[in-house]
Amino acid sequence: MLQLVAVAANDGIWGWDVPTGRSFYSPRWWELVGEQPGETEPHIDVFYAFLHPDDRDRVLHALEAFIAGGQQDYRVEFRLRHRDGGWRWILSRGAAVRDADGRAIRLAGTHTDITERVGAADRLERIVAERTADLVAMRDRAEVSAAATAKMLSATSHDIRQPLQAMALLLGSLQGETLTDPGGKALEAARRALIASMELLEDLLEYSRLDAGALRPALGPIDLRDLLTTVTEGYAVDARRRGIRIVVRPTALIAHSDAQLLGRIVRNLVSNSLKFTSSGAILVAARARGERVRIQVWDTGCGIAPEMQRQIFWEFVQSAPPAQVDGKSPGLGLGLAIVERLSRLLGHAVGMRSEPGRGSVFWIDVPRHRSGAALQGDAMPGRSDLPRLPQSCRVALIENDPDVCDALVGLLRAWGGQVVWSRSAAALLSRIAHEPPDLLIADWHIDGDIDGFEAFDQLERRFQRAIPGIVLTGSYDFDEIRRANPALRKVVHKPVLPDVLFAVLNAELARSGFPATR
């Protein structure tokens, strides 16, 4: 009966008398190696002779462990040589008869041909390896492309911002000129068109940077009092001109986020509320909610229809036609999409509630800084209504773009400033001699061996005092700016409108204790 089972079995059956080394191999077993039964004396050495050299040590180790009783299951895969010169993959399983000491004295088991299965697994592994290599190559190409795109965006945005900056400053200078009524209206129309162009440019560049993966958050403590005040300053003049109040509720809360990116989110929310509000007020506030801070922007605008509220954070979606927003185009519909993507990048939740005809509230939930202590520094002072610098204010300017430099000099002089300018820090030092400036405006990338941040350091070392002022830049590479700005100088991004520039300069002077503007 056992002989019949051995002949009929699909697997090769083997047996081994351990003390003598004599073995038994079924006809199917001999087929696995391409030999005829009876051609070779059955012995364990026959098996070893067919075993692939690379598998020998592993198989011997498994057999020895199984015989000694240290391994209760015998299951091992290896290759046996076929008569045709090829190799067959075998799955071997066995059982043992043991003596009183637990040592195996007889073994028996089966050999199953798994060559096709192993071949299929190898083919699958090769396919996976090839696909993985393709994906790695695609990832590498994407990273290179993203880096190139980020570099291109940085260079392009700087080149585009320079003429816009010159235009904004020149328009600001013209406000002090005597103009006819039509001329004044034309100047105001040009100013509004420039503002709209600048906003569209900012949205497109920010969206492109997000698509290129060029933004990397740098998390840290943020004094929300300073952030909210600074952000809303940029919209105060336009709001007053339209009869809209912007109110910032005082707060001592400290958030934990990326200051630049969070500032961009709040700016977009305030800008969005201003676009869709024709009268009333905009309230910006921060409220503690357990371990988080909820920053809210409330408005009394036209509101958002219920069917649009789920789509409002989508790209290129506008909640109201231009006729409903004080005749002003609401732009490309990217502002809130940027808010959603930046909040997702930072891991902050964002939301809104709105009632048509009554207004809206947008919010973002930000983690509280763990220490809970207020940061040092006072809130940014209020802005002056009159575009006039303090009397006899000495302003030093370092700017190597001729158009921007001419426009800045003209504007600063129109504001009553005494201006000394140059293209490099070395040239400026030679011009101002031994009298320190009251205010310094330095472009980041200037002529000479040092940049605008280092120019501040050099002037302060020379005069042994802190010099208030700002560094202007058209770059939005925040990581590079942080590395270049260890002293945390005030940075203003081009293009900046004259009203905003004046407010920031006035605030920097006030921080330094300079007499108030008149």
Side-chain angles (χ1 to χ4, degrees):
M1 180 64 70
L2 292 177
Q3 185 74 18
L4 183 60
V5 170
V7 170
N10 186 54
D11 293 339
I13 296 176
W14 57 271
W16 178 20
D17 184 74
V18 177
T20 65
R22 289 184 60 82
S23 301
F24 164 78
Y25 302 104
S26 70
R28 174 56 180 157
W29 189 95
W30 289 104
E31 287 181 22
L32 295 177
V33 295
E35 301 288 347
Q36 294 295 322
E39 293 183 355
T40 306
E41 181 181 356
H43 195 275
I44 189 60
D45 292 338
V46 173
F47 168 67
Y48 293 147
F50 287 106
L51 189 60
H52 195 291
D54 293 345
D55 300 335
R56 186 180 299 273
D57 289 343
R58 179 168 51 83
V59 172
L60 288 176
H61 178 75
L63 280 170
E64 289 171 358
F66 185 60
I67 291 170
Q71 180 176 316
Q72 298 303 312
D73 297 322
Y74 177 70
R75 180 187 176 92
V76 63
E77 294 180 6
F78 49 78
R79 287 160 288 182
L80 293 180
R81 188 184 69 250
H82 193 272
R83 190 170 191 170
D84 62 11
W87 296 92
R88 296 290 189 271
W89 272 99
I90 303 298
L91 169 61
S92 180
R93 287 171 287 200
V97 176
R98 302 182 182 276
D99 61 18
D101 296 326
R103 185 174 180 81
I105 55 175
R106 290 186 181 84
L107 304 179
T110 59
H111 281 175
T112 305
D113 189 346
I114 58 171
T115 305
E116 290 187 5
R117 190 193 75 186
V118 173
D122 287 344
R123 288 191 295 275
L124 179 60
E125 185 176 349
R126 285 195 299 271
I127 291 172
V128 171
E130 291 171 359
R131 296 295 184 270
T132 301
D134 290 342
L135 290 173
V136 169
M138 291 171 64
R139 181 204 64 192
D140 293 343
R141 284 196 297 271
E143 289 178 352
V144 171
S145 176
T149 301
K151 185 175 181 180
M152 182 274 292
L153 285 171
S154 178
T156 302
S157 63
H158 178 271
D159 292 343
I160 294 175
R161 284 188 175 95
Q162 289 294 89
L164 285 177
Q165 181 64 85
M167 190 185 308
L169 298 173
L170 289 169
L171 288 176
S173 300
L174 286 175
Q175 288 181 330
E177 302 294 329
T178 301
L179 299 172
T180 63
D181 283 343
K185 291 178 180 177
L187 178 63
E188 177 61 20
R191 191 191 70 85
R192 288 198 302 268
L194 179 61
I195 291 173
S197 299
M198 290 164 60
E199 289 176 349
L200 290 175
L201 173 65
E202 285 302 307
D203 283 348
L204 286 171
L205 290 175
E206 191 79 357
Y207 195 77
S208 298
R209 280 191 294 268
L210 284 165
D211 267 355
L215 297 180
R216 296 290 184 271
L219 304 180
I222 302 171
D223 188 332
L224 290 179
R225 175 183 54 183
D226 284 350
L227 184 140
L228 299 183
T229 304
T230 301
V231 165
T232 53
E233 273 189 339
Y235 299 97
V237 173
D238 190 36
R240 280 200 298 268
R241 186 177 288 112
R242 295 171 52 194
I244 300 170
R245 291 183 303 118
I246 296 184
V247 179
V248 180
R249 180 170 292 167
T251 180
L253 292 170
I254 308 299
H256 188 80
S257 184
D258 181 297
Q260 295 283 0
L261 300 185
L262 183 60
R264 175 64 172 168
I265 290 172
V266 178
R267 278 198 302 276
N268 279 21
L269 293 179
V270 173
S271 174
N272 182 76
S273 289
L274 194 57
K275 286 178 182 177
F276 291 87
T277 300
S278 57
S279 63
I282 294 171
L283 171 66
V284 183
R287 305 172 186 273
R289 296 174 63 90
E291 296 299 314
R292 307 188 77 79
V293 177
R294 173 163 288 186
I295 301 172
Q296 298 172 310
V297 177
W298 299 77
D299 66 56
T300 56
C302 60
I304 303 167
E307 65 270 15
M308 291 292 298
Q309 293 182 13
R310 293 187 61 185
Q311 307 170 27
I312 198 65
F313 290 102
W314 296 1
E315 293 88 346
F316 309 111
V317 171
Q318 298 170 346
S319 64
Q324 291 182 263
V325 286
D326 202 26
K328 184 178 179 181
S329 171
L332 294 174
L334 284 176
L336 293 180
I338 291 171
V339 166
E340 193 277 333
R341 293 187 63 172
L342 285 176
S343 64
R344 188 164 10 113
L345 179 67
L346 292 167
H348 303 338
V350 65
M352 58 83 61
R353 187 173 67 254
S354 182
E355 185 174 343
R358 300 194 63 179
S360 307
V361 56
F362 289 83
W363 68 78
I364 179 169
D365 289 337
V366 185
R368 293 184 69 172
H369 187 56
R370 289 184 177 179
S371 70
L375 301 180
Q376 296 298 315
D378 297 326
M380 185 173 283
R383 56 189 295 134
S384 170
D385 289 331
L386 296 176
R388 196 74 181 169
L389 290 170
Q391 188 173 11
S392 303
C393 180
R394 298 181 302 276
V395 185
L397 170 65
I398 311 175
E399 172 61 71
N400 62 356
D401 184 288
D403 293 336
V404 175
C405 184
D406 291 346
L408 264 174
V409 170
L411 186 63
L412 291 167
R413 286 175 176 169
W415 289 343
Q418 300 177 7
V419 187
V420 178
W421 63 271
S422 70
R423 295 170 60 93
S424 69
L428 180 69
L429 284 170
S430 67
R431 289 189 179 186
I432 62 179
H434 300 292
E435 189 174 11
D438 300 313
L439 192 65
L440 174 61
I441 302 172
D443 192 66
W444 181 11
H445 299 295
I446 54 179
D447 291 353
D449 297 331
I450 66 174
D451 62 27
F453 295 108
E454 295 166 323
F456 264 92
D457 298 338
Q458 195 171 92
L459 263 68
E460 290 182 343
R461 285 195 299 269
R462 175 168 178 171
F463 295 110
Q464 296 296 302
R465 51 163 286 190
I467 297 178
I470 61 171
V471 174
L472 287 171
T473 178
S475 171
Y476 273 74
D477 188 333
F478 298 129
D479 289 337
E480 189 178 357
I481 291 173
R482 288 188 187 96
R483 289 193 293 270
N485 187 22
L488 302 179
R489 310 284 182 190
K490 181 69 175 179
V491 177
V492 175
H493 296 276
K494 299 177 183 177
V496 56
L497 291 170
D499 294 335
V500 177
L501 178 63
F502 177 82
V504 175
L505 294 177
N506 190 37
E508 290 301 303
L509 283 171
R511 285 179 187 275
S512 70
F514 200 89
T517 58
R518 61 180 178 86

